[in-house]
C-alpha cells in the first residue's frame, strides 16, 4: 500500500492507495449447490437485450423494454421490477400503468409469501387485483408485515375489508389484534365477551357495559367500567384511580381532573399538576411539574430548567435525568425548544445539540434554525467553525463547504464530480474510491474512473469487472448468465465463509467465478462444458 497525493493540488491530504489485483485461477472450479439449485433470493440480472430472473427454484429469460426496465427504490424481497409497459412480480409480467407504484405490505409466511402492492389505479395481491374502497389512501396500519391495512374509510384484514370499521380511529397494530372507536377485532372479526361487544378503552384495557377486560379479555375486578376512560395508549382513569395498564397509580382522587400524560417511544409519565410519576408509579422529583413536557417522537423531556435524557450510572446502579449541555439563559418551553423531525438535533434558542454524537453547536443563524424546523439542517464542527453539510453519503462521509469530508477531515476528492457508483465504491474525475468507516476513502489504482459504473451490483469499467479490490474478467461483451447460492452458514459458531457462484459470458467465452473471502475464476471455453457444475446439482440451464 502506498500513499500518493489524492490529486495534483499539493495542499490536499494524502489518501491510501490500493492496486487492484487479478483473481486467482482455479481450473477445477465447479458450482456446488446447496438447498437451492439457483439463487436463494429473488434477483434480476440485467444484460444488454434481455434480463434473467432467478429465485431458489426458478430461472427464466425476460425481454422487457430495456430502456425503461429498472428496479423500484424500495423493493421488498427483490420481487419487483418495472418497465414502461407494466410490473414484473417474481419474474411474471402484469400489464399496468406503473404510475404511483409502491409496495404496501406483506404477510409473514415465507413459504407462501403474499405481497400487497399498488399503482395509481389498483391494488394487487401478488398477481391478483383486489377490490379496495380507495386506492390512493390504501396503506399499512403500521408494519409492512402486519395483519391490518386501511384506506380512508375502512380497515382491512390483509386484503379483506372489515365492514363497519372506522379507519380514522384505528389503533396502531402489527399483529392480529386491533381496535377502532366502534369495536375491537381479532383475526379481522369483531370480538365479544359473554355475548356483548367489547369496547376498546386503549391498547391495554377493554370493556363491556359492566366488565373491564385485559388485552387477552380476562376480567379485571375493581375498575369501574362505566367511568373508565382513555388517557393514552397505556394510561386510563376511572372515577377512583389512574392506571398504567391495570396498575393503580398514586394520583389522588381529587386531582384526577388535572391529570395529564405523556407516552412516547420508550418513556411514559403522568402528572396531576403537582407531581410527575414514571409509568411504574415512582415520583420524578427532578422535574418541575408545572412546566414539564416531552419533545415529540422521542424519549427526551424538558421543564423550565433544562432538557433531559436518562442515563444509567453503572457504578451506582442508578438511572439519572441528565441535562443536555445547553447554555441555559431563558426558561425552556415549547416556544424556544424543539427537536427536528429526524431526531437528529435538539434546538434550544440559537443552539443545536446532537444527542447521538454528543456535539453542541452554538450561535446558529436564523436561517439555520429555519432549516432545522424544515428538517433540512445538517451540521459539521471542526474546531469552533460550524458548516452545513451539503450531502451525506455514508456515516462520517459527507460533503460540506464544497469539500468531501471524512470524520471531519478533508479527503481531497473532487467534490464537483464526486458520485456514488455502487455498494462502497465512489468516484470523481480522477479516481475510483472504496469507502469504509474505519479508513475513509481508499484510492483504487487500475480502474478507469471515466467509465466506472454499476452493472448488477458489481463495479465495471471499459476493461474489467471487479469484486472488492479484485479484477475478475474482461467486460467486453459481458453478460450475466446466472448466480448460484454456494455455502451458507449453519449455527452461530460456524466461521466458514459464505460463497456465491457466478456464470458469465464475455468476448472470450464462458467463465465461472466463486466469490467468498477471495475470488477464484475458471475459463470454461467458447462453449459451455458439462462439468461446470457437479453432477449431483439440479441446475437446469437453457442457453438463450
Amino acid at each position: 500500500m502506498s500513499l500518493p497525493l489524492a490529486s495534483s493540488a499539493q495542499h490536499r491530504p494524502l489518501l491510501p492507495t490500493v492496486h487492484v489485483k487479478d483473481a486467482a485461477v482455479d481450473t477445477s472450479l465447479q458450482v456446488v449447490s446447496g438447498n437451492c439449485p439457483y439463487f436463494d433470493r429473488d434477483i434480476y440480472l440485467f444484460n444488454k437485450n434481455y434480463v434473467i430472473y432467478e429465485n431458489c427454484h426458478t430461472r427464466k429469460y425476460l425481454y422487457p423494454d430495456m430502456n425503461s426496465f429498472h428496479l423500484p427504490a424500495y423493493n421488498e424481497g427483490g420481487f419487483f421490477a418495472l418497465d414502461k409497459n407494466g410490473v414484473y412480480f417474481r419474474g411474471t409480467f402484469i400489464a399496468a400503468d406503473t404510475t404511483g407504484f409502491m409496495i404496501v405490505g406483506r404477510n409473514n409466511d415465507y413459504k407462501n409469501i403474499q405481497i400487497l402492492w399498488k399503482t395509481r389505479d389498483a391494488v394487487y395481491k401478488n398477481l391478483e387485483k383486489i377490490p379496495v374502497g380507495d386506492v390512493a389512501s390504501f396503506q399499512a396500519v403500521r408494519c409492512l408485515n402486519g395483519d391490518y391495512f386501511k384506506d380512508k374509510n375502512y380497515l382491512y384484514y390483509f386484503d379483506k375489508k372489515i365492514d363497519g370499521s372506522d379507519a380514522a380511529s384505528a389503533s396502531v397494530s402489527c399483529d392480529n389484534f386491533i381496535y377502532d372507536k366502534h369495536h375491537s377485532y381479532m383475526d379481522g372479526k369483531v370480538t365479544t365477551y359473554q355475548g356483548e361487544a367489547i369496547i376498546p378503552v386503549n391498547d391495554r384495557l377493554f370493556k363491556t357495559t359492566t366488565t373491564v377486560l385485559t388485552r387477552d379479555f380476562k376480567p379485571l375486578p375493581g375498575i369501574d367500567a362505566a367511568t373508565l376512560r382513555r388517557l393514552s395508549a397505556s394510561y386510563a382513569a376511572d372515577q377512583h384511580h389512574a392506571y398504567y395498564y391495570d396498575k393503580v397509580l398514586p394520583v389522588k382522587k381529587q386531582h384526577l381532573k388535572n391529570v395529564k400524560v405523556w407516552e412516547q417511544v420508550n418513556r411514559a409519565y403522568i402528572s396531576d399538576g403537582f407531581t410527575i410519576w414514571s409509568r411504574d408509579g415512582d415520583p420524578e422529583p427532578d422535574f418541575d411539574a408545572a412546566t414539564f413536557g416531552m419533545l415529540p417522537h422521542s424519549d427526551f423531556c424538558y421543564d423550565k430548567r433544562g432538557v433531559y435524557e436518562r442515563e444509567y450510572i453503572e457504578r451506582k446502579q442508578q438511572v439519572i435525568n441528565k441535562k443536555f449541555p445547553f447554555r441555559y439563559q431563558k426558561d425552556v418551553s415549547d416556544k424556544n425548544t424543539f427537536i427536528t423531525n429526524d431526531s437528529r438535533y435538539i434546538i434550544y434558542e440559537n443552539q443545536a445539540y446532537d444527542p447521538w454524537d454528543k456535539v453542541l453547536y452554538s450561535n446558529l443563524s436564523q436561517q439555520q434554525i429555519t432549516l432545522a424546523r424544515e428538517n433540512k439542517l445538517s451540521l459539521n464542527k471542526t474546531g469552533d467553525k460550524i458548516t452545513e453539510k451539503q450531502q451525506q453519503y455514508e456515516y462520517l462521509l459527507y460533503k460540506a463547504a464544497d469539500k468531501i469530508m471524512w470524520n471531519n477531515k478533508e479527503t481531497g476528492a473532487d467534490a464537483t464530480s464526486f458520485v456514488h457508483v455502487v455498494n462502497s465504491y465512489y468516484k470523481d474525475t480522477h479516481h475510483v474510491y472504496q469507502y469504509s468507516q474505519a479508513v475513509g476513502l481508499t484510492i483504487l489504482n487500475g480502474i478507469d474512473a471515466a467509465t466506472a459504473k454499476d452493472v448488477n451490483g458489481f463495479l465495471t469499467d471499459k476493461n474489467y469487472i471487479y469484486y472488492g479490490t479484485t479484477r475478475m474478467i474482461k467486460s467486453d461483451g459481458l453478460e450475466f448468465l446466472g448466480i448460484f447460492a454456494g455455502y451458507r452458514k449453519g449455527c452461530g459458531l460456524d466461521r466458514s465463509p459464505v460463497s456465491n457462484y457466478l456464470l458469465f459470458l464475455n468476448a472470450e467465452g464462458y467463465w465461472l467465478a466463486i466469490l467468498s473471502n477471495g475470488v477464484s475464476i475458471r475459463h470454461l471455453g467458447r462453449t459451455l462444458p458439462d462439468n461446470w457444475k457437479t453432477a449431483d446439482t439440479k441446475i437446469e440451464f437453457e442457453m438463450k
Side-chain angles (χ1 to χ4, degrees), residues 101-353:
F101 171 86
M102 69 176 293
I103 297 167
V104 183
R106 61 171 170 79
N107 66 358
N108 273 318
D109 185 353
Y110 288 93
K111 293 183 179 179
N112 182 30
I113 291 175
Q114 294 184 329
I115 307 288
L116 295 180
W117 57 278
K118 71 177 184 177
T119 64
R120 178 183 62 186
D121 302 321
V123 176
Y124 296 79
K125 181 176 70 174
N126 291 2
L127 304 174
E128 171 193 3
K129 188 182 293 187
I130 63 171
V132 300
D134 184 73
V135 172
S137 61
F138 189 77
Q139 61 185 290
V141 169
R142 181 179 185 182
C143 300
L144 281 176
N145 60 339
D147 291 319
Y148 290 93
F149 297 83
K150 68 179 181 179
D151 63 18
K152 67 180 181 180
N153 297 312
Y154 296 101
L155 286 169
Y156 295 76
Y157 185 61
F158 205 67
D159 58 327
K160 301 294 189 296
K161 185 176 77 170
I162 303 175
D163 290 327
S165 59
D166 179 72
S169 61
S171 63
V172 173
S173 176
C174 292
D175 53 29
N176 63 350
F177 176 78
I178 200 170
Y179 64 87
D180 62 18
K181 67 181 181 180
H182 301 308
H183 301 289
S184 58
Y185 308 91
M186 180 72 75
D187 297 328
K189 299 177 181 177
V190 174
T191 58
T192 61
Y193 179 76
Q194 294 182 349
E196 190 176 354
I198 295 173
I199 302 167
V201 177
N202 60 18
D203 282 2
R204 301 295 170 178
L205 297 177
F206 302 83
K207 67 180 183 178
T208 64
T209 55
T210 59
T211 306
V212 177
L213 304 164
T214 63
R215 189 181 172 108
D216 54 356
F217 306 141
K218 294 180 181 178
L220 282 171
I223 303 179
D224 182 55
T227 60
L228 185 66
R229 59 189 173 93
R230 174 191 175 96
L231 297 177
S232 73
S234 301
Y235 285 104
D238 64 11
Q239 62 178 333
H240 304 294
H241 300 289
Y243 305 89
Y244 183 78
Y245 290 19
D246 58 340
K247 179 180 180 178
V248 176
L249 298 173
V251 179
K252 293 180 179 179
K253 181 177 180 179
Q254 61 268 32
H255 295 157
L256 285 172
K257 63 180 181 297
N258 302 324
V259 157
K260 187 175 182 181
V261 301
W262 298 263
E263 186 176 1
Q264 297 176 188
V265 192
N266 300 307
R267 304 303 309 158
Y269 301 95
I270 188 169
S271 172
D272 63 358
F274 306 97
T275 303
I276 301 289
W277 291 274
S278 71
R279 60 187 169 197
D280 298 320
D282 298 325
E284 295 277 0
D286 294 335
F287 302 135
D288 175 64
T291 58
F292 181 83
M294 290 193 75
L295 297 176
H297 315 299
S298 76
D299 286 335
F300 307 129
C301 57
Y302 66 89
D303 63 13
K304 67 180 181 181
R305 297 186 290 257
V307 186
Y308 306 85
E309 65 176 339
R310 290 175 70 82
E311 182 177 277
Y312 179 68
I313 309 299
E314 187 171 2
R315 60 186 174 81
K316 294 184 177 181
Q317 294 187 339
Q318 179 185 6
V319 176
I320 65 169
N321 295 302
K322 181 181 177 181
K323 281 187 187 180
F324 289 122
F326 292 113
R327 298 179 183 91
Y328 296 102
Q329 296 179 338
K330 296 182 180 180
D331 286 354
V332 177
S333 72
D334 58 4
K335 302 294 189 296
N336 62 6
T337 306
F338 66 94
I339 189 169
T340 55
N341 288 342
D342 59 3
S343 299
R344 183 64 188 174
Y345 301 106
I346 299 167
I347 310 297
Y348 162 70
E349 290 287 316
N350 65 342
Q351 303 166 62
Y353 186 69

Side-chain angles (χ1 to χ4, degrees), residues 373-423:
R373 290 193 180 278
E374 296 172 352
N375 205 38
K376 296 178 181 178
L377 185 66
S378 186
L379 298 174
N380 171 58
K381 190 171 186 179
T382 305
D384 292 329
K385 184 179 180 181
I386 299 175
T387 58
E388 292 177 26
K389 293 180 183 177
Q390 296 162 294
Q391 187 171 352
Q392 187 83 37
Y393 300 102
E394 311 243 9
Y395 181 65
L396 299 180
L397 182 67
Y398 56 91
K399 181 180 179 181
D402 294 323
K403 297 180 177 64
I404 302 301
M405 308 290 291
W406 169 73
N407 199 21
N408 296 331
K409 301 170 186 175
E410 184 183 349
T411 65
D414 178 39
T416 61
S417 59
F418 190 79
V419 293
H420 178 240
V421 183
V422 60
N423 299 326

Side-chain angles (χ1 to χ4, degrees), residues 504-524:
F504 299 105
L505 177 65
N506 70 3
E508 298 177 324
Y510 293 94
W511 295 84
L512 183 63
I514 184 171
L515 311 181
S516 188
N517 280 355
V519 182
S520 295
I521 60 172
R522 174 190 171 191
H523 185 222
L524 300 172

Side-chain angles (χ1 to χ4, degrees), residues 31-52:
V31 174
V32 181
S33 291
N35 295 327
C36 288
Y38 301 117
F39 201 40
D40 52 357
R41 61 180 177 84
D42 291 60
I43 190 168
Y44 293 84
L45 298 174
F46 290 57
N47 290 297
K48 183 177 180 180
N49 298 314
Y50 66 97
V51 173
I52 292 176

